[in-house]
Amino acid sequence: MNTVTILGYGNVGQALSAAFSSLSDFEVRQIYCRTPQNLEETPPFEVVSDLQKLAEADLYLLCVSDDAIEEVSNQLPFNDRLVAHTSGSMPLSILNNQKCKGVFYPLQTFTPGKQIPWAEVPFCLEADRDEDLKTLKKFCSPLSERVYELNSEQRKKLHLAAVVVNNFVNHLYYRGEELCKSHGIPFEILHPLILETAQKITEVTPYDAQTGPARRNDQKTLNSQLSQLMDTPLENLYSILTDSIIATYERKEL
Amino acid sequence: MNTVTILGYGNVGQALSAAFSSLSDFEVRQIYCRTPQNLEETPPFEVVSDLQKLAEADLYLLCVSDDAIEEVSNQLPFNDRLVAHTSGSMPLSILNNQKCKGVFYPLQTFTPGKQIPWAEVPFCLEADRDEDLKTLKKFCSPLSERVYELNSEQRKKLHLAAVVVNNFVNHLYYRGEELCKSHGIPFEILHPLILETAQKITEVTPYDAQTGPARRNDQKTLNSQLSQLMDTPLENLYSILTDSIIATYERKEL
């Protein structure tokens, strides 16, 4: 039996503990939670609120906020068991007080109450020692085949790229919706196009998938569209994104 | 039998003629193409290159480029049959020389050689006369249930919103890929997140779906991320999009 203890029971901790408990050969040994009385539901696992009460496990997964990782790691009553954090932006070295340390970063948005399609979730692993990396792989490979080894610098850049393709993209959806709403247009008209645009770049590169007036440097359409957005929150975004697209294709097609 | 003649045999014309010819009760009467010798494949329909040779049909669909719509409409040897254009950005009035006119705009990206999931494609219709609108509905309802009546002003804004959620979003995918590549990170790691982000806004509003450091106005992370992007094409985009997200939630949460 492979045992894991989950420290922190927010979105990531809940999702991972549910995932491991669904696997045969894997057991969630304990959940550590500082204030269990604040949990909405009692977890179906042994819960401890005192780090001194942690039992032996093969892996201790820190699912706490980025700011708390170092502190919790320092307070652990051992320094010779495998401890891994689950953060995209924190380096492995933040666990330097531990002899056996790793990173176990599932790159996905965790929405409470929503089923995670684990088989689709990429895991980014890092460890200093081969045997620790092997243990981390043992724990994620039953969940997903998408396993990547990235160092801390790469993971930090990946996290930043995720901000671009997730947070910023979502904000453009918001601005598109706002534009629709202000003219009485149901935003759902755009849902199929949004899904198609996302699907497309899994088949062709975003460079080749680019279409639209900026791609063609069609100044007549660009000026007409920009003038429609004067004095709206989209005016500035339209200019900057259009310039960035034009620069991309000018540069490469010289 | 409902008959349609397609004028212009580019991506849209090819896709629509193939779609209609697959329906029972519908017939593609003719294809009009100015220079049929330039076509890569001979269409499985009667092709004419002279507008004078157009036969009688229930609907004439202009699938030519935006700039050519007015000219082709003016050259038609009749002005009392139903003529519709398929453009998102052109008004109905561009067909003012016709007595029976309409807009039949499928909102989708047409990639040559790729199957169109017609049932998912939203059609935006417009006509001055009720009976013309009825005819347009008769032609699109066997293809898709997503039928919307929009006026020319709304369609123009929808087209603009499509630029935002398709062209601009795709460019952010490109910038994210570029960032990954420059650090030896496979971009495919981000594919599931990209699909999840697109899927999510069909279930919750983009306003509620927003996550990330800008949403939390987490200045420490924002400054750290921006400093990593100094002197890259993402620096400016990061600032502008971050400011736009912060402004969105400041304003609404006052």
Side-chain angles (χ1 to χ4, degrees):
Chain A
M1 188 60 79
N2 303 292
T3 54
V4 57
T5 283
I6 308 276
L7 297 100
Y9 202 63
N11 287 341
V12 179
Q14 290 177 38
L16 282 173
S17 53
F20 285 122
S21 71
S22 73
L23 299 172
S24 56
D25 303 330
F26 285 80
E27 185 187 75
V28 177
R29 187 66 192 81
Q30 290 176 320
I31 301 288
Y32 164 76
C33 178
R34 212 173 34 180
T35 50
Q37 62 275 18
N38 291 351
L39 293 177
E40 284 185 21
E41 288 180 37
T42 310
F45 312 104
E46 182 188 333
V47 179
V48 297
S49 59
D50 177 354
L51 292 170
Q52 302 300 324
K53 293 190 177 158
L54 287 176
E56 184 97 26
D58 299 321
L59 173 62
Y60 296 83
L61 273 184
L62 294 176
C63 303
V64 297
S65 67
D66 284 4
D67 290 341
I69 293 172
E70 192 168 13
E71 190 190 331
V72 175
S73 174
N74 284 334
Q75 291 173 354
L76 289 173
F78 48 76
N79 68 356
D80 54 357
R81 302 182 196 166
L82 180 54
V83 177
H85 75 66
T86 53
S87 164
S89 50
M90 290 291 143
L92 177 63
S93 59
I94 204 166
L95 302 176
N96 266 352
N97 71 308
Q98 298 291 333
K99 285 181 192 157
C100 313
K101 55 185 175 290
V103 179
F104 189 92
Y105 169 50
L107 180 78
Q108 188 60 300
T109 55
F110 291 89
T111 313
K114 217 185 148 197
Q115 280 287 343
I116 314 264
W118 284 108
E120 298 295 316
V121 176
F123 279 85
C124 303
L125 307 184
E126 183 180 8
D128 278 337
R129 306 179 341 140
D130 283 349
E131 58 186 289
D132 295 339
L133 192 62
K134 212 172 142 189
T135 305
L136 295 177
K137 281 183 183 167
K138 187 167 65 180
F139 276 83
C140 71
S141 58
L143 296 175
S144 171
E145 286 180 6
R146 297 178 185 252
V147 180
Y148 299 89
E149 289 174 45
L150 297 186
N151 63 35
S152 291
E153 180 62 16
Q154 288 176 314
R155 195 174 53 256
K156 200 170 175 179
K157 298 302 180 194
L158 176 67
H159 190 248
L160 196 43
V163 165
V164 174
V165 302
N166 173 355
N167 299 162
F168 290 170
V169 160
N170 184 77
H171 184 62
L172 291 182
Y173 296 157
Y174 170 72
R175 291 296 182 198
E177 184 193 34
E178 194 181 44
L179 183 60
C180 286
K181 267 187 181 167
S182 64
H183 293 87
I185 306 161
F187 181 57
E188 58 170 48
I189 303 186
L190 289 171
H191 286 177
L193 182 65
I194 284 171
L195 292 170
E196 163 80 11
T197 304
Q199 181 61 45
K200 202 170 181 178
I201 56 92
T202 67
E203 294 161 25
V204 298
T205 66
Y207 183 85
D208 289 332
Q210 190 68 54
T211 57
R215 169 70 183 89
R216 298 188 304 271
N217 201 348
D218 170 355
Q219 287 294 330
K220 192 180 147 200
T221 304
L222 291 170
N223 289 334
S224 150
Q225 294 191 336
L226 185 57
S227 72
Q228 293 179 62
L229 296 171
M230 291 275 267
D231 303 320
T232 76
L234 268 168
E235 181 182 357
N236 206 7
L237 291 171
Y238 188 95
S239 294
I240 301 286
L241 283 156
T242 292
D243 290 349
S244 185
I245 295 173
I246 291 173
T248 299
Y249 292 89
E250 260 178 359
R251 198 183 58 222
K252 301 239 179 168
E253 283 166 10
L254 279 178
Chain B
M1 189 59 77
N2 302 291
T3 54
V4 58
T5 283
I6 308 276
L7 297 99
Y9 203 62
N11 288 340
V12 178
Q14 290 177 37
L16 282 173
S17 53
F20 285 123
S21 70
S22 73
L23 299 172
S24 56
D25 303 331
F26 285 79
E27 184 187 79
V28 176
R29 186 66 191 81
Q30 290 175 321
I31 301 287
Y32 163 75
C33 177
R34 210 174 34 180
T35 49
Q37 62 275 20
N38 292 350
L39 293 177
E40 284 185 21
E41 288 178 38
T42 309
F45 311 104
E46 182 187 332
V47 179
V48 297
S49 59
D50 177 355
L51 292 170
Q52 302 300 323
K53 293 189 178 159
L54 287 176
E56 183 99 26
D58 299 322
L59 173 63
Y60 295 82
L61 274 184
L62 293 176
C63 303
V64 296
S65 67
D66 284 4
D67 290 342
I69 293 173
E70 192 169 12
E71 190 190 332
V72 175
S73 173
N74 284 334
Q75 291 173 352
L76 289 173
F78 48 77
N79 68 355
D80 53 356
R81 303 183 196 166
L82 180 54
V83 176
H85 75 67
T86 53
S87 162
S89 49
M90 289 291 142
L92 177 63
S93 59
I94 204 166
L95 303 175
N96 266 351
N97 71 308
Q98 298 291 334
K99 285 182 192 157
C100 314
K101 55 184 174 291
V103 179
F104 189 91
Y105 170 49
L107 179 77
Q108 187 62 299
T109 55
F110 291 89
T111 313
K114 218 185 148 198
Q115 279 287 343
I116 313 265
W118 285 107
E120 298 295 316
V121 176
F123 280 85
C124 303
L125 307 183
E126 183 180 7
D128 278 338
R129 306 178 340 141
D130 283 348
E131 59 185 290
D132 294 338
L133 192 62
K134 213 172 142 189
T135 304
L136 294 177
K137 282 183 183 168
K138 187 168 64 180
F139 276 82
C140 70
S141 59
L143 296 175
S144 172
E145 285 180 6
R146 297 177 184 252
V147 180
Y148 299 89
E149 289 173 44
L150 297 186
N151 62 37
S152 292
E153 179 63 14
Q154 287 176 313
R155 196 173 53 256
K156 199 170 175 179
K157 298 302 180 194
L158 176 67
H159 191 247
L160 197 43
V163 166
V164 174
V165 303
N166 173 354
N167 301 161
F168 290 170
V169 160
N170 184 77
H171 184 63
L172 291 182
Y173 296 157
Y174 170 73
R175 291 295 181 199
E177 185 194 34
E178 195 181 42
L179 183 60
C180 287
K181 267 188 182 168
S182 65
H183 293 88
I185 307 161
F187 182 57
E188 59 170 46
I189 303 186
L190 289 171
H191 287 175
L193 182 66
I194 285 171
L195 291 170
E196 165 78 11
T197 304
Q199 181 61 43
K200 202 170 181 180
I201 57 91
T202 66
E203 293 161 24
V204 298
T205 66
Y207 183 84
D208 290 331
Q210 190 68 53
T211 57
R215 169 70 183 86
R216 299 189 304 271
N217 201 347
D218 171 353
Q219 287 294 329
K220 194 181 145 200
T221 303
L222 291 171
N223 289 333
S224 150
Q225 295 191 334
L226 185 57
S227 72
Q228 293 180 61
L229 296 171
M230 291 274 268
D231 303 320
T232 76
L234 269 168
E235 181 181 358
N236 206 7
L237 291 171
Y238 187 94
S239 294
I240 301 286
L241 283 155
T242 292
D243 289 349
S244 186
I245 295 173
I246 291 174
T248 301
Y249 292 89
E250 261 178 359
R251 196 182 61 222
K252 300 242 178 165
E253 282 164 10
L254 280 178

